Amino acid sequence: MAKLKIFIDQDKCVGAGQCVFAAPEVFDQREDDGIVELLAEEPEESQHGAVMQAVRLCPAKAIRVEEA
Amino acid sequence: MTPPPHRIAIVGASAAGLSTCQALRDNGYAGEIALIGAEPEPPYDRPPLSKTRSDTVACLTDVALADEAELGRLDLDLRLGTAASRLDVEGRQVILDSGTAIAWDACVIATGAAPVTLPGNGMTLRTLDDAARIGAALRAARHVTIIGAGVLGCELAALARQAGVAVTVLDPQAGPMLDRVGRQVSKRLKALHQGHGVAFHFGNGVETIQGNDAHGYTVATSDGTRLETDRVLVAIGCRPTVGWLADSGLTLDNGVFCNAFCEAAPGIYAAGDVANWHNPRFGRQMRIEHRMNATEQGMAVAANILGARRVFDPIPFFWSDQYDAKIQVHGVIDGSCDEDLLETNSQNGGFVIAYSRNGTVDGVLGWNMARALRKARALVGQDRSAVITQFART
Ligand SMILES: Cc1cc2nc3c(=O)[nH]c(=O)nc-3n(C[C@H](O)[C@H](O)[C@H](O)COP(=O)(O)OP(=O)(O)OC[C@H]3O[C@@H](n4cnc5c(N)ncnc54)[C@H](O)[C@@H]3O)c2cc1C
Ligand code: SF4
């Protein structure tokens, strides 16, 4: 499978944390305001399913992926 | 066993309808999907329409839920600007207002909810058009009156203050969002808004709204107060959009009445604001008007159409942004719950509160505590006294 590259839009993010529930090894939230942070920009293949789940679940549509 | 569906009709082209389409394709469904939407725009997101972050009125490109590439991937029979006028349950078809009939072997009702209105010229906010109208009103007005201090009313108040417009908020309850978040948070919200110059008028219902844009409006309340104002915004809640289902034979009771599989009748499902389904995690029927639920319920419905037969038992989630306050809730809470303060952050004034019913934690609320709240979600469903003991120790 192709590589995935993740893009996050911190202005859109509402700090819902759904991405962290879905893929805790790829996403985290900033301590002070809960805005999304990337732990891995190009996650391992084993994480791809979880990342796609996060993309779908994010209520602010703040996560986008491209095949790198 | 019924054969797997190959023609699926989805009525309502917003968050829940689109999520259903995406999940159907993600799960490998290759048959037909008709997506029918009354609004002319392709699916777009509503929460940004009332958030203070956008000082300009949102336009479609900012809030679109799917770009052209994604809509292409979904390979839809997309019918926008057309409402469904009738669901023929026996004949397995949905009739559009144009008279066209669309046959289906599985149907999803995702027609959402529409604002309750009041007689007079009060503006409501649900659609992009509404947002444009309200944006124009905020530019033209020096003073607006907002009727309803619920979540939307509070966000509108913040939006108006951010635009430099004077604001009065009226509500028959005793405080903002009181029935949604309880006394402690309502008190904090009241102080927050007053600190930003919002005037509140609590405890009285609105009797009449009179006037027009050119000469201004007079709002009269049940205690005899008469308020002069430039524009009136009405945010007194929504009702599920079920009028078109009146003769369908489906049970309509606070939305489309569904079982735990989000099924209203064999082959007919509902998702999003319109669905009143049985959430087994909480052991009761619920209808949730939250953005997150629209996505998750759409996914659940797609899986069940394709035969997964899974109950939908989420911990609902919602958020509201007002000024610099980010309020987030996991679970199902209201003003009648027991409230326990679990954590505070002395640096930013943030806190986490647990809300319990009959000794069980039903929800947790965070105020500027996004990260701590994410962990606190695990408390939902736990014994209240055990949770209190656990937090007293830390
Ligand atoms: C201004 C605003 C701010 C919000 N902010 C938040 C927030 O901060 N956090 C949060 O959790 N939630 C928020 N919400 C709620 C959230 O947007 C809704 O829960 C979500 O939009 C529900 O999606 P839905 O698809 O179920 O219904 P809807 O978005 O209501 O969409 C239903 C669609 O169906 C169409 N339709 C209706 N009848 C027919 C018919 N007969 N035929 C064809 N189409 C039809 C409608 O035109 C509409 O496009 C907000 C809502 C609004 C309006
Ligand atoms: S799910 Fe979306 S909104 Fe929530 S923290 Fe992650 S990126 Fe932000």
Side-chain angles (χ1 to χ4, degrees):
Chain A
M1 203 180 134
K3 271 189 166 182
L4 277 191
K5 189 165 161 61
I6 307 178
F7 299 88
I8 53 173
D9 185 337
Q10 292 181 321
D11 289 334
K12 274 193 177 172
C13 171
V14 298
Q18 301 296 335
C19 52
V20 191
F21 288 125
E25 290 172 37
V26 180
F27 301 99
D28 198 359
Q29 291 177 277
R30 294 203 296 239
E31 184 62 54
D32 52 339
D33 57 7
I35 298 299
V36 62
E37 280 181 321
L38 273 183
L39 301 176
E41 218 169 281
E42 293 184 12
E44 289 180 22
E45 209 171 310
S46 60
Q47 292 292 321
H48 287 188
V51 169
M52 289 318 292
Q53 180 76 356
V55 171
R56 292 274 179 266
L57 280 179
C58 172
K61 296 278 163 217
I63 310 168
R64 192 168 58 81
V65 295
E66 265 177 25
E67 291 193 2
Chain B
M1 262 314 278
T2 44
H6 64 278
R7 279 183 310 194
I8 300 174
I10 301 173
V11 185
S14 181
L18 180 72
S19 165
T20 310
C21 298
Q22 290 175 316
L24 282 169
R25 293 298 186 217
D26 289 350
N27 290 329
Y29 171 72
E32 290 170 26
I33 304 177
L35 179 63
I36 301 143
E39 294 182 76
E41 298 89 0
Y44 64 85
D45 210 12
R46 300 186 201 281
L49 303 182
S50 59
K51 300 295 178 282
T52 44
R53 193 179 323 156
S54 52
D55 42 23
T56 52
V57 179
C59 64
L60 182 58
T61 43
D62 297 334
V63 295
L65 284 172
D67 59 17
E68 243 160 71
E70 173 66 0
L71 288 176
R73 176 188 79 100
L74 296 174
D75 188 19
L76 305 170
D77 173 9
L78 186 59
R79 292 163 188 261
L80 297 175
T82 319
S85 54
R86 204 161 65 81
L87 183 67
D88 176 1
V89 171
E90 289 295 304
R92 303 306 239 193
Q93 54 182 357
V94 48
I95 318 295
L96 308 187
D97 55 8
S98 59
T100 308
I102 295 182
W104 46 262
D105 38 38
C107 176
V108 182
I109 299 165
T111 44
V116 177
T117 56
L118 289 174
N121 259 334
M123 292 184 276
T124 55
L125 174 57
R126 185 78 189 176
T127 65
L128 264 171
D129 276 356
D130 296 340
R133 262 195 297 275
I134 287 179
L138 291 181
R139 281 190 296 277
R142 274 167 307 164
H143 179 269
V144 295
T145 298
I146 298 171
I147 300 175
V151 183
L152 188 54
C154 286
E155 290 186 357
L156 282 170
L159 196 70
R161 288 306 298 134
Q162 231 97 334
V165 178
V167 177
T168 303
V169 181
L170 307 177
D171 197 297
Q173 291 196 51
M177 287 168 56
L178 191 59
D179 58 344
R180 296 294 302 277
V181 296
R183 269 188 306 277
Q184 299 182 59
V185 176
S186 181
K187 221 171 120 190
R188 284 284 293 253
L189 275 169
K190 187 175 169 188
L192 174 72
H193 281 277
Q194 286 173 331
H196 282 87
V198 172
F200 283 116
H201 192 86
F202 285 121
N204 293 286
V206 167
E207 303 258 280
T208 59
I209 304 168
Q210 280 169 327
N212 53 47
D213 282 3
H215 298 101
Y217 293 84
T218 305
V219 178
T221 65
S222 49
D223 67 341
T225 307
R226 292 169 66 82
L227 208 92
E228 307 295 326
T229 189
D230 298 327
R231 294 287 188 281
V232 181
L233 310 186
V234 177
I236 55 173
C238 289
R239 290 218 181 86
T241 307
V242 293
W244 67 286
L245 296 167
D247 66 354
S248 64
L250 297 177
T251 305
L252 304 175
D253 172 13
N254 182 27
V256 177
F257 194 89
C258 297
N259 63 16
F261 304 101
C262 312
E263 213 179 16
I268 302 175
Y269 300 80
D273 285 14
V274 78
N276 173 9
W277 93 106
H278 181 84
N279 185 334
R281 184 189 294 272
F282 295 87
R284 58 179 188 265
Q285 290 292 128
M286 50 178 72
R287 190 175 69 78
I288 304 277
E289 289 185 6
H290 300 158
R291 179 62 184 80
M292 185 70 204
N293 185 65
T295 299
E296 284 191 298
Q297 200 161 19
M299 289 172 151
V301 162
N304 282 339
I305 289 177
L306 301 179
R309 219 47 210 163
R310 266 200 304 271
V311 298
F312 181 55
D313 64 346
I315 298 177
F317 168 82
F318 89 94
W319 79 97
S320 176
D321 297 344
Q322 297 169 32
Y323 313 104
D324 58 355
K326 272 183 181 299
I327 300 153
Q328 301 178 317
V329 177
H330 291 288
V332 191
I333 68 170
D334 62 38
S336 69
C337 293
D338 298 309
E339 302 171 21
D340 298 294
L341 184 66
L342 298 183
E343 274 180 76
T344 54
N345 178 333
S346 53
Q347 264 149 39
N348 68 357
F351 55 86
V352 175
I353 295 178
Y355 292 73
S356 303
R357 243 181 236 111
N358 308 320
T360 303
V361 176
D362 260 6
V364 287
L365 178 148
W367 176 297
N368 286 340
M369 287 283 256
R371 238 164 154 247
L373 187 73
R374 201 182 73 228
K375 296 187 187 107
R377 184 176 89 148
L379 304 175
V380 175
Q382 290 192 23
D383 180 62
R384 178 189 175 200
S385 44
V387 166
I388 296 174
T389 323
Q390 179 191 333
F391 276 84
R393 262 192 265 114
T394 54

